[in-house]
């Protein structure tokens, strides 16, 4: 087995995209709940509570943005690995044809 294929299998086994997506899903649910609480804080005139909720929503936004960037990097890495595997397969195939012709 060639090195590129081993790297691809290792990356796929780690399943990083799905792990990150699980975190993004969880943070989305948390944000939804916080928005409901923020609405309640506004209705009941609790400015300190409202501000604390806003801060939590901002923290989740930053975390979500970072996770999205990581997910995009992982997807790009997967594409690069696949491109290198295809390039390697093509080179091996051409080397095999040259040996057959010799």
């Amino acid at each position: 087995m060639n090195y590129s294929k081993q790297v691809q299998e290792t990356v796929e086994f780690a399943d990083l995209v799905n792990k990150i997506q699980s975190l993004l899903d969880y943070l989305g649910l948390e944000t939804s709940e916080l928005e409901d609480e923020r609405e309640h804080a506004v209705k009941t005139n609790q400015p300190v509570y409202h501000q604390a909720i806003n801060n939590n929503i901002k923290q989740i936004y930053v975390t979500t943005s970072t996770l999205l960037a990581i997910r995009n990097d992982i997807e790009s890495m997967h594409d690069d690995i696949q491109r290198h595997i295809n390039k390697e397969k093509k080179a091996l195939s051409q080397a095999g044809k040259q040996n057959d012709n010799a």
Side-chain angles (χ1 to χ4, degrees), residues 7-24 63-84:
V7 170
Q8 179 186 26
E9 288 178 3
T10 300
V11 169
E12 287 175 356
F13 180 74
D15 200 20
L16 297 175
V17 171
N18 283 332
K19 289 174 183 172
I20 289 176
Q21 187 59 51
S22 294
L23 288 171
L24 290 168
T63 304
T64 299
S65 297
T66 303
L67 288 170
L68 285 169
I70 292 168
R71 185 181 69 185
N72 289 340
D73 290 346
I74 291 168
E75 289 171 348
S76 176
M77 180 182 63
H78 281 207
D79 292 344
D80 288 345
I81 290 169
Q82 193 60 51
R83 190 176 70 255
H84 289 300

Side-chain angles (χ1 to χ4, degrees), residues 2-102:
N2 60 42
Y3 179 71
S4 298
K5 190 70 173 166
Q6 289 175 336
V7 170
Q8 179 186 26
E9 288 178 3
T10 300
V11 169
E12 287 175 356
F13 180 74
D15 200 20
L16 297 175
V17 171
N18 283 332
K19 289 174 183 172
I20 289 176
Q21 187 59 51
S22 294
L23 288 171
L24 290 168
D25 293 345
Y26 171 75
L27 291 173
L29 291 173
E30 287 296 308
T31 300
S32 178
E33 290 176 16
L34 284 171
E35 288 170 350
D36 291 342
E37 288 183 38
R38 179 174 58 186
E39 186 177 319
H40 176 73
V42 169
K43 285 180 182 177
T44 58
N45 196 23
Q46 298 179 29
V48 174
Y49 185 50
H50 177 254
Q51 185 59 45
I53 292 169
N54 278 340
N55 290 339
N56 286 339
I57 290 172
K58 288 175 189 175
Q59 291 169 347
I60 288 175
Y61 175 79
V62 169
T63 304
T64 299
S65 297
T66 303
L67 288 170
L68 285 169
I70 292 168
R71 185 181 69 185
N72 289 340
D73 290 346
I74 291 168
E75 289 171 348
S76 176
M77 180 182 63
H78 281 207
D79 292 344
D80 288 345
I81 290 169
Q82 193 60 51
R83 190 176 70 255
H84 289 300
I85 288 171
N86 291 338
K87 196 174 178 181
E88 188 174 37
K89 284 180 183 177
K90 185 177 179 181
L92 289 173
S93 174
Q94 288 176 349
K97 288 180 185 177
Q98 288 175 353
N99 287 341
D100 289 345
N101 291 334

